[in-house]
Amino acid sequence: MTVNVATLGFPRIGPRRELKTALESYWAGKSDQAALLATAAELRRKAWARQRDLGATIIPSNDFSLYDQVLDTTAMVGAIPAIYGWTGGEVGLDTYFAMARGAQGQPGHEGCAHGHAHDGEGAPAAEMTKWFDTNYHYLVPELTAGQSFRLASTKALREYREAKAQGIETRPVLLGPVSYLLLGKTRGADFEPLSLLPRLLPIYAEVLRRLAEAGAAWVQMDEPYLVMDLTDTARAAYRDAYAALTGGTPTGGASTGDASTGDASTGDASIPRIMLTTYFGALGDNLATVLALPVAGLHVDLVRAPDQLGAILAGARPDLVLSLGVIDGRNIWAADLNAILDRIQPAVAAGRTVVLAPSCSLLHTPIDLERETDLDPEVRRWLSFAVQKVAELAVLARALNEGRDAVRAELDVAAAAAASRRISPKIHNPAVQARITADDPSLSRRTSPFEVRRSIQRAKLKLPPYPTTTIGSFPQTAEIRKARADYGKHAIDLATYEGFLRDETARAVRWQEEAGLDVLVHGEFERNDMVQYFGEQLSGFAFTSHAWVQSYGSRCVRPPIIYGDVARPRPMTVEWWRYAQSLTKRPMKGMLTGPVTILNWSFVRDDQPRSVTCRQLAFAIRDEVTDLENAGAAIIQIDEAALREGLPLRHGEWQAYLDWAVACFRIASSGVGDATQIHTHMCYSEFNDIIASIGAMDADVISIETARSQMELLDAFAGYRYPAEIGPGVYDIHSPRVPAADEMSALLKAAARRLPADQLWVNPDCGLKTRKWPEVRLAIENMVAAAQAARACA
Ligand code: GLN
Ligand code: ZN
């Protein structure tokens, strides 16, 4: 039996972000629909040919998207919310982009300070949220109790035929019906989204029937929810859905062709065979449910959950085709191919039909390492992007099909790279390792409890009630970006660049004093990004030039790569802080990004637990905190914007994560004396389920996002009796709208009903980097007025 190579999905933005360019030009009205569609078709054509040439034998179609695959599914099943005025027929681009970005004239999704997604105010764009535990964002289906479905997009069929016309047989990818419903939110009456399943399945059945008619032998049905905690209702929905779609038979009908290939000879089947695709974790307690489903194939993630192979082999029907996700689709490390061959030996020895695949779609990796010509060559040989990962899979398949000797050279290269990672002094720093293993509980404990610190800090800082501050960044204007780009291109020298930044900083400090803010910030003008800025100054980090990964729609991010032990060779922010503080008598906040956030927004080394890497980051930040204190900073903010998004997919693993994440924050923040006030900031609002851990961080002040929910979120803080001070954001910075002072006063009053007034700070809900100065000036002046009004009534 020949072992095949499947890719599950390929990055769609294009090697030079061609899709981004085409989309943004189309949205700006600078090009027409035909141009956009032509670019998209060309990207698909090249991606299919590329995968084939690299040795993939099962190539996906319908993995491409103009915006998002969940939105594509919403279009496919015709679940278009009424507000978009869709009147039936094939969902067109206007409707599609209206759901993605809001209708004409409305602001669309705006990134927050870190390029992460937020709704634009008043924009009727569909809500966007993170795709499982990735940094990719999908558009949330909005379902009503009376929801009806109909086939409203034949994209899957079109793209299958398009590849076929190019001479490439593909396996179309569909987001499975149960995961689709579970990803949705319900609108109106409270009801169970899964109750819509009987109405949804006929649409899937129709799509499958048409794909079979067009010649598709297999489809890839993505059901990532199978690695999540499922209720009995959800498990039953899986049984019902796949029984209904297959008529109860694994092959879906009278199919005949070779089960292991994408062979088109099964065109007579009533529906294609289903490769049920799971990823991002172990099937765990859903395994028995999954193995009883009448599907022809099962894909499992053996990178995140290598240990599940044994149970799967023991329990799976002998004819179940197993797709083994052995190459990491979520990270950028070259694989140790020999180790993988050893690991999957039992599956091959059992005489199973096996497919080799990445753990999940390659969507989450950058496209091609070849373009990274500026990387340190030693670091580069440890890496593998989407193109290299397909090649790795092809080598593995050849080793199985022809014997390891047939690919001895490739295996040796991989083995040498793996060996060099194990010993390279670029990675292993004994001093760092010794420091982080020291088991000294005082390292993660402030000297005194909060109550004691609080009175010391109050006596020192002498702030008024309802103290005002901002979250850190001020507008990153076109001039600032230009100066940074010029400096990068050596068009201006360092002195000129820094002089420019000093002027910006001085202006911002002067303006903050005039506006009447109590605790000032330097504005973060010198920072390209809140993670990159620190990564560039820490050892153990590498940065790429072209390694973009889709975040949402046309938005891409280029995460730093943490490849080695992390150390801080020298202070990173002290000079800027010192300069800014020299301009004012008011307290100037030191401003740092926390270890958990740096970790969660990077590609992280896979040769040690994430918790260990985070601990290294924590010590590096601790050194910076101590240096800021020694330089005279009375207040230091350590942002943990991404702490919540690192939560594991399974509830049972939450506490372990929270424990080490909180411990890392405490290591970073506990090197200071009682008089130094530690702030933290989190730009989200769901705290109820992790509030105890937020409290355990033991920060003196926390600022959070609350403006958009009218302070309802504070209920969590009231219920738990959060001990320290809180700045609930009173100004939603994700919108250009300037809130009036009255509006912010009302929010402050709402906050004061839930929490003691002497616990409250007044601030916007995130950094102001994405805003424009005219908006910021007005909004902050109004905010200060609201704080003064609150003081007057206090
Ligand atoms: N200090 C950062 C800023 O103001 C925080 C950004 C964030 O939380 N995303 O830009
Ligand atoms: Zn924020």
Side-chain angles (χ1 to χ4, degrees):
M1 190 65 73
T2 319
V3 172
N4 277 287
V5 169
T7 57
L8 305 190
F10 202 69
R12 51 218 187 189
I13 203 77
R16 289 178 163 70
R17 286 184 294 160
E18 293 87 341
L19 183 60
K20 176 188 178 69
T21 311
L23 282 168
E24 290 174 1
S25 143
Y26 174 72
W27 293 332
K30 291 187 198 141
S31 59
D32 61 8
Q33 182 161 326
L36 172 62
L37 296 181
T39 302
E42 182 62 8
L43 285 170
R44 289 193 291 269
R45 192 182 66 75
K46 287 191 176 144
W48 285 321
R50 188 94 196 251
Q51 292 172 78
R52 179 197 55 200
D53 297 346
L54 287 163
T57 47
I58 301 176
I59 295 172
S61 59
N62 200 40
D63 58 327
F64 180 83
S65 179
L66 283 174
Y67 204 95
D68 164 46
Q69 72 273 10
V70 181
L71 184 63
D72 292 338
T73 311
T74 293
M76 178 179 92
V77 302
I80 318 296
I83 125 178
Y84 301 107
W86 175 65
T87 52
E90 178 94 9
V91 172
L93 277 194
D94 289 348
T95 308
Y96 183 81
F97 286 133
M99 286 190 282
R101 315 178 59 239
Q104 270 245 307
Q106 304 273 8
H109 288 116
E110 296 206 17
C112 80
H114 195 73
H116 289 259
H118 288 281
D119 288 345
E121 206 250 354
E127 182 185 322
M128 204 158 35
T129 196
K130 282 166 68 75
W131 175 246
F132 299 88
D133 60 354
T134 71
N135 263 331
Y136 175 82
H137 301 76
Y138 73 95
L139 286 147
V140 181
E142 199 177 297
L143 305 163
T144 60
Q147 185 72 52
S148 62
F149 298 100
R150 63 182 128 147
L151 183 57
S153 165
T154 53
K155 175 178 179 290
L157 197 66
R158 274 186 275 124
E159 292 183 7
Y160 172 75
R161 290 207 173 109
E162 186 181 304
K164 208 178 182 74
Q166 196 184 313
I168 295 185
E169 185 56 36
T170 57
R171 184 172 73 183
V173 182
L174 298 175
L175 172 57
V178 181
S179 289
Y180 175 73
L181 290 175
L182 290 171
L183 286 165
K185 62 169 183 184
T186 56
R187 194 191 170 90
D190 205 18
F191 73 101
E192 171 66 66
L194 286 174
S195 66
L196 300 172
L197 189 62
R199 287 190 225 167
L200 178 63
L201 288 175
I203 315 303
Y204 274 84
E206 175 67 10
V207 172
L208 292 177
R209 196 186 60 71
R210 290 205 197 180
L211 286 170
E213 214 171 70
W218 283 84
V219 294
Q220 172 184 324
M221 197 76 99
D222 283 6
E223 288 284 8
Y225 256 96
L226 286 168
V227 308
M228 306 281 283
D229 295 322
L230 292 179
T231 60
D232 290 343
T233 315
R235 292 207 182 105
Y238 272 110
R239 283 191 288 273
D240 294 348
Y242 286 88
L245 290 178
T246 58
T249 64
T251 51
S255 101
T256 49
D258 177 352
S260 69
T261 66
D263 186 336
S265 67
T266 48
D268 58 318
S270 60
I271 68 152
R273 291 188 163 97
I274 293 175
M275 174 57 72
L276 185 71
T277 305
T278 69
Y279 41 81
F280 301 154
L283 295 173
D285 56 354
N286 300 322
L287 179 63
T289 307
V290 171
L291 291 179
L293 297 177
V295 290
L298 173 65
H299 171 84
V300 291
D301 185 337
L302 295 183
V303 173
R304 284 262 177 104
D307 296 343
Q308 61 179 341
L309 181 59
I312 291 166
L313 286 175
R317 288 191 331 264
D319 64 325
L320 186 73
V321 177
L322 283 185
S323 168
L324 308 178
V326 289
I327 293 288
D328 197 345
R330 293 286 300 275
N331 216 330
I332 40 69
W333 305 106
D336 185 348
L337 300 177
N338 281 309
I340 291 174
L341 288 171
D342 295 343
R343 197 171 329 129
I344 59 181
Q345 197 51 45
V348 180
R352 292 225 158 233
T353 305
V354 164
V355 175
L356 296 182
S359 55
C360 60
S361 165
L362 295 169
L363 175 69
H364 309 290
T365 58
I367 299 186
D368 191 359
L369 184 61
E370 284 304 312
R371 297 203 64 204
E372 298 302 328
T373 46
D374 292 344
L375 272 180
D376 174 338
E378 190 176 358
V379 174
R380 197 169 177 275
R381 71 195 281 235
W382 299 328
L383 304 181
S384 167
F385 295 173
V387 161
Q388 288 71 37
K389 285 172 189 287
V390 183
E392 289 177 323
L393 287 164
V395 171
L396 290 170
R398 280 189 64 199
L400 294 178
N401 291 330
E402 302 164 33
R404 292 196 197 193
D405 279 340
V407 283
R408 185 56 61 199
E410 289 88 340
L411 294 179
D412 288 349
V413 169
S420 97
R421 267 185 86 192
R422 277 191 290 273
I423 54 163
S424 169
K426 285 212 168 86
I427 293 183
H428 305 280
N429 179 336
V432 171
Q433 287 160 13
R435 188 175 181 206
I436 70 149
T437 41
D439 191 19
D440 177 356
S442 74
L443 285 171
S444 53
R445 210 170 44 219
R446 299 286 296 271
T447 312
S448 306
F450 172 71
E451 284 306 326
V452 176
R453 303 194 308 258
R454 180 188 217 186
S455 40
I456 298 174
Q457 291 164 17
R458 289 205 162 175
K460 175 174 175 190
L461 292 167
K462 299 193 181 62
L463 295 169
Y466 291 101
T468 53
T469 190
T470 62
I471 304 303
S473 58
F474 278 120
Q476 284 269 329
T477 58
E479 297 77 63
I480 294 173
R481 285 198 299 268
K482 177 168 187 309
R484 184 176 306 131
D486 286 349
Y487 173 59
K489 284 185 294 205
H490 307 291
I492 56 174
D493 62 10
L494 182 62
T496 312
Y497 177 53
E498 290 193 337
F500 169 84
L501 294 173
R502 262 195 299 277
D503 290 347
E504 289 291 320
T505 307
R507 249 200 304 276
V509 171
R510 209 175 317 124
W511 174 77
Q512 291 175 82
E513 287 195 331
E514 282 160 21
L517 285 160
D518 302 306
V519 173
L520 311 196
V521 297
H522 75 286
E524 302 182 25
F525 302 111
E526 78 289 8
R527 302 188 186 176
N528 39 15
D529 173 273
M530 66 185 281
V531 170
Q532 188 175 350
Y533 183 74
F534 292 94
E536 282 173 351
Q537 302 185 71
L538 293 166
S539 57
F541 277 75
F543 289 84
T544 59
S545 315
H546 309 282
W548 297 98
V549 180
Q550 198 173 9
S551 170
Y552 64 94
S554 64
R555 181 80 78 118
C556 301
V557 293
R558 224 172 11 164
I561 295 170
I562 308 179
Y563 65 85
D565 289 338
V566 176
R568 189 203 65 147
R570 61 193 71 83
M572 304 183 283
T573 64
V574 174
E575 278 320 306
W576 281 110
W577 176 83
R578 210 194 296 275
Y579 170 66
Q581 183 68 83
S582 76
L583 303 168
T584 180
K585 296 218 158 9
R586 301 189 194 180
M588 175 63 58
K589 277 197 272 193
M591 189 59 63
L592 304 172
T593 302
V596 187
T597 298
I598 296 180
L599 185 87
N600 284 339
W601 284 345
S602 300
F603 282 121
V604 180
R605 59 193 286 194
D606 62 353
D607 57 348
Q608 66 185 18
R610 290 170 70 83
S611 55
V612 173
T613 304
C614 198
R615 213 172 146 86
Q616 295 183 352
L617 287 161
F619 277 98
I621 299 298
R622 178 188 177 93
D623 290 345
E624 188 71 14
V625 170
T626 314
D627 281 347
L628 281 168
E629 181 185 58
N630 290 338
I635 305 184
I636 300 166
Q637 178 173 313
I638 307 170
D639 293 327
E640 283 293 18
L643 188 128
R644 190 176 209 292
E645 59 186 62
L647 281 172
L649 295 174
R650 295 277 195 164
H651 239 282
E653 293 161 22
W654 277 26
Q655 201 53 50
Y657 163 78
L658 288 168
D659 288 349
W660 63 250
V662 168
C664 287
F665 180 86
R666 292 177 63 132
I667 288 170
S669 59
S670 296
V672 293
D674 287 341
T676 300
Q677 189 170 64
I678 297 288
H679 289 216
T680 187
H681 163 71
M682 299 186 176
C683 25
Y684 41 82
S685 43
E686 298 150 60
F687 286 105
N688 295 39
D689 44 5
I690 58 166
I691 187 75
S693 296
I694 303 289
M697 290 167 72
D698 199 25
D700 298 305
V701 183
I702 180 173
S703 62
I704 57 172
E705 178 182 309
T706 41
R708 281 181 288 176
S709 66
Q710 304 295 312
M711 300 286 152
E712 272 165 34
L713 303 150
L714 287 182
D715 293 345
F717 285 79
Y720 159 79
R721 301 245 284 142
Y722 185 73
E725 301 190 352
I726 307 179
V730 291
Y731 155 28
D732 172 12
I733 65 91
H734 306 94
S735 152
R737 210 175 133 266
V738 174
D742 283 355
E743 215 175 293
M744 292 191 267
S745 289
L747 286 173
L748 274 181
K749 282 191 189 125
R753 276 196 295 276
R754 290 168 166 89
L755 291 166
D758 73 344
Q759 228 174 316
L760 289 173
W761 282 64
V762 181
N763 47 257
D765 66 3
C766 196
L768 297 162
K769 172 178 174 170
T770 56
R771 297 268 61 93
K772 306 245 177 307
W773 269 113
E775 303 155 10
V776 165
R777 282 197 198 96
L778 283 175
I780 297 295
E781 280 159 21
N782 291 348
M783 187 186 90
V784 170
Q788 280 160 353
R791 283 170 205 159
C793 317

